[in-house]
Amino acid sequence: MSELAGIAAKSAQPAVKTTAVIAASGGLVASFALPASAAPASHPSTKGAPAAVAPVAVQAPKTAAPQAADAFGVIGFKATAKPKPKPKPKPKPKPVVVAVPQRTAPVASRSTQRTAPVVSKPAVGGILGIAAQYAGIMYVYGGTTPAGFDCSGYTQYVFRQAGISLPRTAEAQRQATTPVSNPQPGDLVFFGSPAYHVGIYAGNGMMWDSPRTGKAVALRSIWSSAVTYGRP
């Protein structure tokens, strides 16, 4: 009777909840109670207390941890802005070259080419112009240059500048010239025979000469009537 009373007391207890353990996704474990079925009635002939019902552990299926959606298929790159092309410089206008015609010296014809003439009659402007250039140069005995002239050295130098060669002394110059009775400016005037002095006739009773020591080349009057004229 005592065993039957114990079994009846146990059957009167509330239903035992069965605990289930499920491994949730992500490694979390959750537990919950499941209602247990009514304990089976023990057969009266069963000896001893019935064994306690062990909780049933339910393990959730293992699932792989979800991967980040942005960890797959992403290609790393760094975008750089493309520089704008530099504008091309505007071409400089080419300078306009204007050809200037070159001047050439006119070619003189044979009829106009000037050659040194053979002077039989000295031109007034030529000989007298050259003679006047040396006015003021003092007389030097034996002098034949602008550093100093004697009378024949002066006439020789002046005619040489005109391209006419004369001998060195007054008498030699008289003999080398053609005597004239109607003298022209630029002829030679000789004093004495043989000549001891010579000058260049300038017309109107005047002459250019280098007279003597202490005097200078100048235009002066012909002081004697005993003169002759010669044309180089």
Side-chain angles (χ1 to χ4, degrees):
M1 289 295 291
S2 58
E3 292 179 358
L4 294 175
I7 293 171
K10 291 182 180 180
S11 60
Q13 292 180 356
V16 179
K17 295 181 180 180
T18 302
T19 301
V21 179
I22 299 174
S25 171
L28 298 178
V29 177
S31 62
F32 58 92
L34 296 176
S37 59
S42 299
H43 195 273
S45 61
T46 303
K47 293 181 179 181
V53 178
V56 178
V58 179
Q59 186 175 359
K62 294 182 180 180
T63 58
Q67 296 181 353
D70 56 353
F72 177 77
V74 178
I75 300 174
F77 66 92
K78 184 177 181 181
T80 55
K82 185 177 182 181
K84 295 182 179 180
K86 294 182 179 180
K88 294 183 179 179
K90 295 182 179 180
K92 295 181 179 180
K94 295 182 179 180
V96 179
V97 179
V98 179
V100 179
Q102 297 181 352
R103 294 183 178 181
T104 57
V107 180
S109 61
R110 292 183 179 179
S111 60
T112 59
Q113 289 180 350
R114 302 180 67 181
T115 57
V118 177
V119 179
S120 59
K121 179 181 178 181
V124 175
I127 294 298
L128 296 184
I130 296 171
Q133 293 178 7
Y134 304 102
I137 294 177
M138 297 303 293
Y139 179 93
V140 174
Y141 179 79
T144 59
T145 68
F149 294 114
D150 62 12
C151 65
S152 59
Y154 171 64
T155 55
Q156 182 189 50
Y157 188 87
V158 170
F159 275 84
R160 183 185 302 147
Q161 304 310 305
I164 300 172
S165 179
L166 291 177
R168 171 64 184 86
T169 64
E171 177 60 22
Q173 290 178 9
R174 185 183 74 84
Q175 294 181 10
T177 59
T178 301
V180 292
S181 57
N182 186 20
Q184 299 294 322
D187 289 340
L188 291 176
V189 52
F190 299 102
F191 293 78
S193 181
Y196 61 88
H197 183 65
V198 63
I200 300 173
Y201 183 62
N204 299 322
M206 304 293 290
M207 70 176 180
W208 285 95
D209 74 337
S210 180
R212 64 180 183 274
T213 302
K215 295 289 184 177
V217 172
L219 179 65
R220 55 179 52 89
S221 62
I222 299 172
W223 70 85
S224 174
S225 59
V227 294
T228 57
Y229 298 93
R231 186 165 296 161

